[in-house]
Structure formats: C-alpha cells, structure tokens
Amino acid sequence: MAQENSEFQFGGIHHLALVSSDMQRTVDFYSGVLGMPLVKTIELPRGMGQHFFFDCGGGDTIAFFWFPDAPDGVPGVSAPAALPGEGEIVSAVGSMNHVAFTVPPGEFERYYVRMQEKGVDVSPILDHDDSPAGSSRVLHPGVYVRSFYFRDPDGAMLEFACWLRAFTPADVAHPARTGAERAGV
C-alpha cells in the first residue's frame, strides 16, 4: 500500500484525539471491550481535565480528552447520525467522521462475531468496491476493503477494516471537488 512521500517521512498516526464525556466509561470500552492497553494518563493543569492514550497497534495511539465543561456531541454534526448502510453518514466540516482500525483479513469475520458477542451493535459487513453503490454485501474479486462499523459510548463512529489488495495508479481516478460545489455555499 505504501507510496513514497517526497516531502516528509511519516511513520503513521501518532495519535488521534477525541473528546470523552466519561473517561472511566471510555477506559472500560477501549481497554475492556476492544482490549487496547491504556499506556499514558495525564491530568491537565489548572483543572482543565484529563488526556488518556490507548495503544491501537503499530506504534499508534488513540487518545481522549475529558473536559469538565465540554458540550455534548450532536449526531449529524459532530459525528454521523447513523452507521454506513443504515442511514445518513454526513458530519460537519472539521468534525471527525470515523476512526478505522486495521485488522487482519484472516480474523475479520471472527472479529465481527466477537464484537456482537461482546454486546456491541455493529453494522452489516460492507465489502467496499468500485461499483456505483460503493459497496457490496457479497465478497467478490473487485472488493478492495472489508469493514464493519460500530460506536463508542459517546457516539464516535469506529470501523474495523482490512485491505484486500494493493492500490495501483488506476485507483486515483476522480477529480477533487471544491468548496464551491457544496450545497448552500
């Protein structure tokens, strides 16, 4: 999958920081349900809150802030209102739409069942392809990634995903859209 970056040498995502309404509940979900080790905790100065880091594999972390005065999230604005395949997935500009965790292709279906056994409400499996619909409910040779989606306790959309093939130059075939093309702009 890797292509060379001629500008900077990146090693992946150091961390992605989200906001939690209840840090204990976040620890229970990310460490207890997903099994991610809690690797660093910080009490922010002047009573601003907390910042906790979980190891999500490959040397990367997912982090959470807890702020005592943070406003509640708004479905459809701060995060999608529904899971893919189940409804509207649009979220606001500048929001985090979802976080996808890489899982091994050979474990993908077992992880899907395991999440359900843990009581997590998961979307149907989506086999992403280049069809007009963008995905199929059937695995076929044109599928480039398999995934399923679920939410954390604060409603952040998460995904387990596995690549099934390497990309080629033919996979970059669409012109980038502009802000002027957005509805209502």
Side-chain angles (χ1 to χ4, degrees):
M1 293 290 162
Q3 294 187 16
E4 190 168 323
N5 181 335
S6 62
E7 298 293 324
F8 300 97
Q9 182 179 344
F10 295 122
I13 302 292
H14 185 277
H15 72 275
L16 176 66
L18 292 86
V19 178
S20 167
S21 66
D22 182 323
M23 193 63 87
Q24 182 59 60
R25 188 175 65 173
T26 296
V27 170
D28 293 344
F29 181 78
Y30 283 86
S31 287
V33 175
L34 298 183
M36 294 180 184
L38 178 61
V39 295
K40 178 67 178 164
T41 63
I42 301 167
E43 285 291 330
L44 299 174
R46 299 176 305 285
M48 276 181 27
Q50 295 183 313
H51 196 28
F52 283 22
F53 294 77
F54 299 86
D55 182 333
C56 62
D60 301 328
T61 57
I62 184 166
F64 291 86
F65 282 104
W66 176 85
F67 300 118
D69 56 352
D72 288 338
V74 179
V77 178
S78 52
L83 298 177
E86 297 180 352
E88 187 59 57
I89 63 166
V90 173
S91 61
V93 171
S95 69
M96 186 213 59
N97 188 271
H98 70 279
V99 177
F101 299 106
T102 299
V103 297
E107 297 291 330
F108 178 79
E109 290 185 18
R110 188 172 75 82
Y111 288 2
Y112 183 72
V113 170
R114 193 166 178 196
M115 290 295 284
Q116 292 171 318
E117 291 171 349
K118 288 177 171 266
V120 177
D121 185 27
V122 297
S123 74
I125 291 174
L126 295 178
D127 293 318
H128 302 269
D129 61 13
D130 290 322
S131 70
S135 68
S136 170
R137 297 271 173 120
V138 177
L139 184 59
H140 61 84
V143 171
Y144 55 89
V145 66
R146 299 192 83 192
S147 71
F148 65 87
Y149 300 82
F150 53 98
R151 293 191 181 281
D152 82 354
D154 282 308
M157 187 163 62
L158 306 174
E159 175 184 16
F160 279 7
C162 59
W163 296 116
L164 298 183
R165 66 171 175 84
F167 294 126
T168 69
D171 286 301
V172 181
H174 303 90
R177 299 288 182 101
T178 69
E181 296 175 89
R182 288 181 47 227
V185 176

